Amino acid sequence: MTTISNEKLKFYQVGSFAVGNRLVPVELRSFQSDEERANALTSGHRACQGCGEALGARYVVDAAIASAEGKLMAVNATGCLEVFSTPYPETSWQLPWLHSLFGNAPAVATGVQAALKAKGREDIRVLAQGGDGGTVDIGFACLSGMFERNDDVLYVCYDNEAYMNTGVQRSGATPPAARTATTQAVGEHPGNVFGQGKDVPRIAMAHEIPYVATATVADLRDLEYKVKRAMSMRGARYLHVMVPCPLGWGSASQDTIKLARLAAESGLFPVFEAEHGEVVASTKIRRQVQVEEYLKLQRRFAHLFKPQRDEDVIGRLQAMADRNIVRYGLLDDSTIPAYPASTTALMEN
Ligand SMILES: Cc1ncc(C[n+]2csc(CCOP(=O)(O)OP(=O)(O)O)c2C)c(N)n1
Ligand code: SF4
Ligand SMILES: [Mg+2]
């Protein structure tokens, strides 16, 4: 039985931080390397090549099933994850799985949990999952209610930063300057505007629920650890996972993991854990990567580099990353300080 932790492991055998390696001691192996893993999202689904959401969901659900000792039910909002996994009459899911509407997965999960409680079956755990559109936009009121009531549900948001399933429309999680079908790279300020959108992990923290965490598909061991940690608690828990989308981002399918890593190492996507409204841990960055290393690999940001570099916009995105570095103490072990006024001013310009 694995006792997954988020302790860093070096896999010299493969020269990478790949997880699932069967050469490490049994107690340090990932859930995914376990022959008994649930394989909950099995092969044959229709996700695009290199889909971060498919990868993230596979790790999340298998880790949740292992943590729940096999007794897990899932509720899934409408979105890519639901569509690519369940083309009627087929399914890739190997667990009790309900498709809710686009906007009500948290409410449906709350109902499932209440029914289980009424039946005296609180040994069966409930997971709800959805994309960023289903979570930060249309499902947000239900999610906030679920948090406020502290319902015993783990909610997982797979954030690919737009409405991918319906053709890459902007969501409240789309980053500034990104081109989407509804924020075209035209006009004086091409792409998505600055100053809008929502930081839902921080909003979740404001509800003071037992557990909020962020993760990426670049560190699958950390992702598994956070699922296990969340499942060790009762009450409302929220996990926000960055999942690159080759189709919507205009990136190469083989760059999915690299992009998730660059998002974290630049500071654009801070990786942290919070309990009852307070940050308790953040994943440190050894060397901060400049945001342009991340942006350049994605055609949704191509207008920042051609026909000429847009220093102003690249600088503003860099300022966002720099603010996260300070806000979450990503570069050192110091306690999380207030971010400097100069950075705030740059952000608000
Ligand atoms: C009420 C309602 N409005 C719109 C839709 C169409 N719709 C289905 S999925 C989707 C976008 C999903 O985006 P997101 O939640 O980010 O998931 P992704 O596909 O990106 O994984 C939309 C607009 C719908 N199903 N129901
Ligand atoms: S559009 Fe994006 S999220 Fe949807 S299946 Fe393809 S890669 Fe995955
Ligand atoms: Mg999305």
Side-chain angles (χ1 to χ4, degrees), residues 53 131-133 158-164 171:
E53 190 163 84
D132 50 297
Y158 300 103
D159 184 5
N160 53 23
E161 301 185 336
Y163 294 14
M164 297 310 179
S171 81

Side-chain angles (χ1 to χ4, degrees), residues 126-146:
V126 182
L127 173 88
Q129 50 187 2
D132 50 297
T135 305
V136 319
D137 292 338
I138 191 169
F140 186 67
C142 294
L143 185 68
S144 178
M146 190 199 104

Side-chain angles (χ1 to χ4, degrees), residues 195-206:
Q196 293 183 2
K198 293 165 233 176
D199 186 341
V200 169
R202 286 168 62 77
I203 298 172
M205 282 169 60

Side-chain angles (χ1 to χ4, degrees), residues 103-119:
N104 70 351
V108 172
T110 290
V112 171
Q113 200 275 326
L116 290 169
K117 187 176 177 187
K119 283 176 153 293

Side-chain angles (χ1 to χ4, degrees), residues 310-329:
D310 190 334
E311 295 295 353
D312 176 49
V313 171
I314 296 170
R316 292 173 76 179
L317 292 167
Q318 185 65 52
M320 286 172 60
D322 294 347
R323 184 175 71 166
N324 284 335
I325 297 278
V326 178
R327 179 181 269 165
Y328 295 97

Side-chain angles (χ1 to χ4, degrees), residues 101 127 245 257 264 277 334:
L101 298 177
L127 173 88
C245 164
I257 303 296
S334 60

